[in-house]
Amino acid sequence: MPHLVPAPPVLEALFRRTPVVDLDALRHALHTPSRTTVFRALRPLRYLTSYSHTGRYYTLRRIPRFDPQGLWWHHDIGFSTHGTLRRTLGHLVEIAPAGHTHDELRDVVHLRVHNTLRRLVLAHALVRKPWQDASVYLSASPDVAAAQWQRRHAIGEAVAWFRAHGHASC
């Protein structure tokens, strides 16, 4: 088992001043050009990588206050308890009672997610079905997907009823 050396105090001080930093700030704080040295120094601090900005930002696990969906933002930089955007989207679809459309997911994670959703479907990690003028993404588990699809239809019927009866705000 490898022995973890304590993190340099300079990193603790850096994260006290700035809760989210990029690789250049970490290199500067450690006075090194080496990515390997940076990640070796970060490891004992239990860090997270952003799911937005192509994973370019870092924070410590103890800093974020995640929302119920496991998301946290520092300005426009997104972090997830699930790590990557791919894993985050998979989780969000799995727990959604009626699946999610691209627009719904985009609104949750504050990113364009079309390419990641396409890759998840190609990898059979999610299922995509046409829904009205969009697509709905469902669990890869047939039982879960069937329940999500049924719930999506029930929501669609309720919205149609309210619109038909003069409730345009739906």
Side-chain angles (χ1 to χ4, degrees):
M1 178 174 204
H3 175 70
L4 294 179
V5 296
V10 67
L11 289 185
E12 290 282 358
L14 175 64
F15 281 106
R16 272 193 300 276
R17 285 191 313 274
T18 309
V20 173
V21 297
D22 64 8
L23 187 60
D24 288 340
L26 292 165
R27 285 177 171 154
H28 180 74
L30 293 169
H31 304 290
T32 182
S34 169
R35 287 175 55 96
T36 303
T37 299
V38 168
F39 291 110
R40 189 176 298 129
L42 273 176
R43 190 176 309 127
L45 293 175
R46 298 191 45 194
Y47 68 95
L48 295 170
T49 304
S50 63
Y51 72 78
S52 67
H53 298 80
T54 61
R56 198 170 59 223
Y57 292 95
Y58 306 90
T59 192
L60 303 183
R61 285 190 183 271
R62 69 173 188 264
I63 292 173
R65 298 293 180 249
F66 292 103
D67 69 15
Q69 295 180 38
L71 304 176
W72 177 74
W73 291 269
H74 177 75
H75 304 293
D76 67 335
I77 304 165
F79 291 85
S80 169
T81 56
H82 304 283
T84 65
L85 179 60
R86 181 182 174 116
R87 289 192 355 223
T88 299
L89 292 175
H91 171 76
L92 291 171
V93 169
E94 286 293 327
I95 66 168
H100 275 297
T101 65
H102 170 270
D103 290 347
E104 291 165 353
L105 287 165
R106 182 194 61 220
D107 291 347
V108 171
V109 299
H110 306 289
L111 293 175
R112 184 177 177 274
V113 295
H114 177 75
N115 291 337
T116 306
L117 288 170
R118 187 176 63 75
R119 286 192 296 271
L120 285 164
V121 169
L122 289 172
H124 305 287
L126 295 178
V127 172
R128 177 178 53 217
K129 286 183 126 180
W131 170 252
Q132 297 176 353
D133 59 349
S135 294
V136 65
Y137 294 87
L138 307 166
S139 171
S141 164
D143 292 340
V144 175
Q148 289 173 321
W149 188 242
Q150 184 177 14
R151 180 75 176 132
R152 178 63 60 164
H153 276 279
I155 291 169
E157 289 170 8
V159 168
W161 185 90
F162 275 97
R163 286 187 178 149
H165 290 86
H167 301 280
S169 63
C170 293

